[in-house]
Amino acid sequence: MSFHNYNPVRRYDKNPILTGKDFPDSYCIIHVFNSGIIKHDGKYLMVCRCEDAGLKAYFWIAESEDGLRFTPRDKPIDMPVNDPMFRKYAEVNIYDPRITKLGDTYYLMHAAHSRYDCRGALQSTKDFRTFTWHGFITDAGNRNCVLFPEKFGDDYVRLDRPLTTWDSGDMWISYSKDLIHWGRGDCILPKSRVPWAWSKVGAGAVPIKTERGWLNIFHGVRSQAKSHLVYQLGVCVHDLKDPARVIALSRKPILTPTMDYELHGQTPSVVFTAGVVVEEDRTIKLYYGGADTVQCVGFTTVDELLALCDEA
Ligand code: BMA
């Protein structure tokens, strides 16, 4: 394969699929990006990360029959604004929602920012109408929490990225019996293992179960000429029974910011995913934010991504 034929993720030619203009005027939404996604009752449900002109953050459901044309509902999801902990630790921002189905419940793991830094938070729903707030699931200094869609023995398992003071920016794993209290943290993918991401790596989409292992589409970041950070997407495979073992890894990123809507926006040179939909024929719709400004989608397949991952 020559370099110029290397194109594991094909962008939708009508990207971006959602921008602030698609939301009701009265909310003045200017950014929609890094949204979570799941198929529910045959429909694609996106939990959009939205920001208004005052940079107030919302999670806002948009629905689609085909995974390409999305219609936002008429208002955002209600947030637990009466909870004192939410008010204290989510005062600046809520972001990067990931949706995981476990049994008949859909869990929304997301980041929340306050003057005390970032924390992971958890909400759940069965119908995408009413959400239950479960509170914070990390202390300050953690983000990119992504819940696996299966339990491993008695454990729920998530990926995350603690902000360690020594050498931050690696992907960790952590375990829980009740989804609220987490522990046994372990660094499982240090950025030093990802040659194109020397600044940091973090989980992206909810991992996909395949016969070879859990396919994990993650983000990797490099500082470019000391002037800015470039966010790309990569892929690795975790052992089926022991997700702490990263058994294979792609040497190259699978998506690099090159289009205008990825290079220019409120944060230049960013592609960032919080979710995918895997269809029955093993094609993947990979949803990603462009430049922290617009929502995009690209297409790939389970088999192509697996083929890119060399034994690690
Ligand atoms: C990360 C997250 C993402 C964002 C990225 C680039 O830390 O906050 O939501 O896309 O930075 O700004």
Side-chain angles (χ1 to χ4, degrees):
M1 190 192 296
S2 84
F3 174 77
H4 294 290
N5 290 329
Y6 178 75
N7 191 22
V9 178
R10 276 77 59 189
R11 291 170 175 85
Y12 183 42
D13 58 7
K14 296 198 175 68
N15 270 347
I17 55 171
L18 279 174
T19 73
K21 291 191 182 117
D22 297 309
F23 290 76
D25 277 353
S26 54
Y27 280 84
C28 285
I29 299 299
I30 57 168
H31 305 133
V32 46
F33 60 111
N34 301 2
S35 305
I37 182 97
I38 202 146
K39 235 176 165 175
H40 167 71
D41 284 347
K43 267 194 182 158
Y44 297 77
L45 290 185
M46 185 178 274
V47 173
C48 301
R49 171 183 176 182
C50 293
E51 290 169 353
D52 70 15
L55 293 187
K56 179 171 160 44
Y58 304 88
F59 289 158
W60 198 313
I61 295 178
E63 303 184 16
S64 171
E65 298 291 335
D66 61 5
L68 302 173
R69 286 163 300 172
F70 282 84
T71 307
R73 290 185 180 165
D74 54 7
K75 62 184 186 58
I77 298 174
D78 289 330
M79 284 294 133
V81 288
N82 293 325
D83 182 293
M85 290 286 277
F86 183 85
R87 284 214 298 275
K88 186 170 179 183
Y89 293 106
E91 60 175 357
V92 175
N93 205 350
I94 46 169
Y95 55 105
D96 299 348
R98 275 90 172 194
I99 311 168
T100 300
K101 186 178 187 203
L102 275 160
D104 62 353
T105 305
Y106 296 86
Y107 291 95
L108 198 62
M109 262 189 190
H110 62 87
H113 221 99
S114 68
R115 74 192 75 173
Y116 306 101
D117 208 285
C118 185
R119 300 181 76 170
L122 184 69
Q123 311 201 31
S124 68
T125 183
K126 289 191 195 279
D127 58 5
F128 286 91
R129 296 278 165 195
T130 312
F131 286 77
T132 305
W133 166 245
H134 300 283
F136 291 96
I137 51 166
T138 74
D139 285 334
N142 204 327
R143 69 174 78 184
N144 291 307
C145 298
V146 179
L147 179 63
F148 276 82
E150 273 183 23
K151 286 176 85 172
F152 295 80
D154 288 340
D155 293 321
Y156 296 100
V157 179
R158 76 165 186 226
L159 304 169
D160 61 19
R161 191 174 69 214
L163 297 170
T164 54
T165 49
W166 177 248
D167 191 18
S168 187
D170 304 316
M171 197 189 301
W172 287 55
I173 200 165
S174 158
Y175 304 84
S176 173
K177 301 285 183 217
D178 61 3
L179 288 166
I180 307 298
H181 305 91
W182 294 81
R184 289 161 46 213
D186 190 14
C187 176
I188 57 161
L189 185 66
K191 60 193 175 198
S192 55
R193 267 178 79 179
V194 184
W196 46 269
W198 49 84
S199 297
K200 46 189 172 175
V201 294
V206 173
I208 302 163
K209 193 174 192 183
T210 76
E211 59 290 346
R212 190 166 156 208
W214 293 95
L215 195 57
N216 176 9
I217 302 173
F218 62 93
H219 64 271
V221 186
R222 68 168 200 267
S223 59
Q224 179 65 29
K226 296 202 174 140
S227 67
H228 67 288
L229 297 175
V230 176
Y231 280 68
Q232 307 182 89
L233 299 181
V235 65
C236 65
V237 181
H238 300 241
D239 184 81
L240 271 183
K241 293 212 173 84
D242 178 5
R245 289 182 54 226
V246 175
I247 56 173
L249 181 68
S250 165
R251 285 165 209 266
K252 294 196 281 271
I254 59 165
L255 190 68
T256 295
T258 51
M259 303 298 278
D260 265 1
Y261 53 80
E262 298 161 352
L263 293 170
H264 305 295
Q266 68 164 332
T267 317
S269 302
V270 176
V271 292
F272 189 99
T273 187
V276 296
V277 169
V278 184
E279 307 290 3
E280 275 172 19
D281 62 1
R282 292 165 74 91
T283 57
I284 296 176
K285 292 187 176 73
L286 167 56
Y287 295 87
Y288 68 96
D292 288 355
T293 301
V294 293
Q295 184 62 47
C296 305
V297 65
F299 310 104
T300 181
T301 66
V302 168
D303 298 305
E304 279 170 278
L305 295 187
L306 284 176
L308 291 174
C309 293
D310 298 325
E311 304 306 316

Coordinates of all heavy atoms in Angstrom, one line a residue, residues 33-34 49 93 95-96 111 113 143-144 161 200 219 221 229 231 267-272 289 291-292, ligand 1:
F33 N -19.7 19.3 18.6 CA -18.5 18.5 18.3 C -18.3 17.4 19.4 O -19.0 17.4 20.5 CB -17.3 19.4 18.2 CG -16.9 20.1 19.5 CD1 -15.8 19.8 20.2 CD2 -17.7 21.2 19.9 CE1 -15.4 20.5 21.4 CE2 -17.4 21.9 21.1 CZ -16.2 21.6 21.8
N34 N -17.5 16.4 19.1 CA -17.1 15.3 20.1 C -18.4 14.7 20.7 O -18.4 14.4 21.9 CB -16.2 15.9 21.2 CG -14.9 16.5 20.6 OD1 -14.7 16.5 19.4 ND2 -14.1 17.0 21.5
R49 N -22.4 17.4 22.0 CA -21.7 18.3 22.9 C -21.9 19.7 22.2 O -21.4 19.9 21.1 CB -20.2 18.0 23.0 CG -19.5 19.1 23.7 CD -18.0 18.8 23.8 NE -17.3 19.9 24.4 CZ -16.0 20.0 24.6 NH1 -15.2 19.0 24.2 NH2 -15.5 21.1 25.2
N93 N -17.8 23.6 32.5 CA -18.0 22.9 31.2 C -18.4 21.5 31.5 O -18.0 20.9 32.5 CB -16.7 22.9 30.4 CG -16.9 22.7 28.9 OD1 -18.1 22.5 28.5 ND2 -15.9 22.9 28.1
Y95 N -18.5 17.9 29.0 CA -18.0 17.6 27.6 C -17.7 16.2 27.4 O -17.6 15.4 28.3 CB -16.8 18.5 27.2 CG -15.6 18.5 28.1 CD1 -14.4 17.9 27.8 CD2 -15.6 19.3 29.3 CE1 -13.3 17.9 28.6 CE2 -14.5 19.3 30.1 CZ -13.3 18.6 29.7 OH -12.2 18.7 30.5
D96 N -17.5 15.9 26.1 CA -17.1 14.5 25.6 C -17.9 13.4 26.2 O -17.4 12.5 26.9 CB -15.6 14.3 26.0 CG -14.7 15.3 25.3 OD1 -15.1 16.1 24.4 OD2 -13.5 15.4 25.7
A111 N -17.0 14.2 30.9 CA -16.1 15.1 31.7 C -16.9 16.3 32.2 O -17.8 16.8 31.5 CB -14.9 15.5 30.8
H113 N -15.9 20.2 34.1 CA -14.8 21.0 34.4 C -15.2 22.1 35.4 O -16.3 22.7 35.3 CB -14.2 21.7 33.2 CG -12.7 21.7 33.2 ND1 -11.9 20.8 32.5 CD2 -11.8 22.5 33.8 CE1 -10.7 21.1 32.7 NE2 -10.6 22.1 33.5
R143 N -10.0 12.6 33.1 CA -10.9 12.8 32.0 C -10.8 11.6 31.0 O -10.1 10.7 31.2 CB -10.6 14.1 31.3 CG -9.4 14.1 30.5 CD -9.3 15.4 29.7 NE -8.8 16.5 30.6 CZ -8.7 17.8 30.3 NH1 -9.0 18.1 29.1 NH2 -8.3 18.7 31.1
N144 N -11.6 11.7 29.9 CA -11.6 10.6 28.9 C -12.0 9.3 29.5 O -11.3 8.3 29.3 CB -10.3 10.6 28.1 CG -10.1 11.8 27.3 OD1 -11.0 12.1 26.5 ND2 -9.0 12.4 27.4
R161 N -7.9 8.8 31.8 CA -6.6 9.5 31.8 C -6.4 10.4 33.0 O -6.8 11.6 32.9 CB -6.4 10.3 30.5 CG -4.9 10.7 30.4 CD -4.6 11.3 29.1 NE -5.2 12.6 29.0 CZ -5.6 13.2 27.9 NH1 -5.5 12.6 26.7 NH2 -6.2 14.4 27.9
K200 N 0.2 13.2 24.4 CA -0.7 12.4 25.2 C -1.5 11.5 24.3 O -1.7 11.7 23.1 CB -1.6 13.3 26.0 CG -2.2 14.5 25.3 CD -2.9 15.4 26.3 CE -3.4 16.7 25.6 NZ -4.2 17.6 26.5
H219 N -7.6 8.8 20.8 CA -6.9 10.0 20.3 C -5.5 10.1 20.8 O -5.2 9.6 21.9 CB -7.7 11.3 20.6 CG -7.7 11.6 22.1 ND1 -8.7 11.2 22.9 CD2 -6.9 12.4 22.8 CE1 -8.5 11.6 24.1 NE2 -7.4 12.3 24.1
V221 N -2.1 12.9 20.7 CA -1.8 14.3 20.6 C -0.3 14.5 20.5 O 0.5 13.9 21.2 CB -2.3 15.0 21.8 CG1 -2.2 16.6 21.6 CG2 -3.8 14.7 22.1
L229 N -1.1 22.1 19.6 CA -1.3 20.6 19.6 C -2.1 20.1 18.4 O -3.0 20.8 18.0 CB -2.0 20.3 20.9 CG -1.3 20.6 22.2 CD1 -2.3 20.3 23.4 CD2 0.0 19.8 22.4
Y231 N -4.4 16.9 17.2 CA -5.1 15.8 17.7 C -5.4 14.8 16.5 O -6.1 15.3 15.6 CB -6.5 16.2 18.4 CG -6.3 16.6 19.8 CD1 -5.7 17.8 20.1 CD2 -6.9 15.9 20.9 CE1 -5.6 18.3 21.4 CE2 -6.7 16.3 22.2 CZ -6.1 17.5 22.4 OH -6.0 18.0 23.7
T267 N -10.4 25.4 18.0 CA -9.1 24.8 18.3 C -8.6 24.2 17.0 O -9.1 23.2 16.5 CB -9.2 23.6 19.4 OG1 -10.1 24.1 20.4 CG2 -7.9 23.3 20.0
P268 N -7.6 24.8 16.4 CA -7.1 24.3 15.1 C -6.5 22.9 15.2 O -6.0 22.5 16.2 CB -6.0 25.3 14.7 CG -6.1 26.4 15.7 CD -6.8 25.9 16.9
S269 N -6.7 22.1 14.1 CA -6.0 20.8 13.9 C -6.4 19.8 14.9 O -5.6 19.2 15.6 CB -4.5 21.0 14.0 OG -4.0 21.9 13.0
V270 N -7.8 19.6 15.0 CA -8.3 18.6 16.0 C -9.3 17.7 15.3 O -10.2 18.2 14.7 CB -9.0 19.3 17.2 CG1 -9.6 18.2 18.1 CG2 -8.0 20.1 18.0
V271 N -9.0 16.4 15.3 CA -10.1 15.4 15.1 C -10.2 14.6 16.4 O -9.2 14.2 17.0 CB -9.9 14.5 13.9 CG1 -10.0 15.3 12.6 CG2 -8.6 13.8 14.0
F272 N -11.4 14.4 16.9 CA -11.6 13.8 18.3 C -12.9 13.0 18.3 O -13.9 13.6 17.9 CB -11.7 15.0 19.3 CG -11.6 14.5 20.7 CD1 -10.4 14.5 21.5 CD2 -12.8 14.0 21.4 CE1 -10.4 14.1 22.8 CE2 -12.8 13.6 22.7 CZ -11.6 13.6 23.4
G289 N -15.4 15.1 16.1 CA -15.5 16.6 16.1 C -14.4 17.1 15.2 O -13.3 16.6 15.2
A291 N -12.0 20.4 14.8 CA -11.5 21.7 15.3 C -12.4 22.2 16.5 O -12.5 23.4 16.6 CB -11.4 22.7 14.2
D292 N -12.9 21.3 17.3 CA -13.8 21.7 18.4 C -14.9 22.6 18.0 O -15.3 23.5 18.8 CB -12.9 22.3 19.5 CG -12.0 21.4 20.3 OD1 -12.1 20.1 20.0 OD2 -11.2 21.8 21.1
Ligands
BMA1 C1 -9.3 17.6 25.0 C2 -10.8 17.5 25.2 C3 -11.6 17.5 23.8 C4 -11.0 18.5 22.9 C5 -9.5 18.5 22.8 C6 -8.9 19.5 21.9 O1 -8.7 17.8 26.2 O2 -11.2 18.5 25.9 O3 -12.9 17.7 24.0 O4 -11.5 18.2 21.6 O5 -9.0 18.6 24.1 O6 -9.2 20.8 22.4

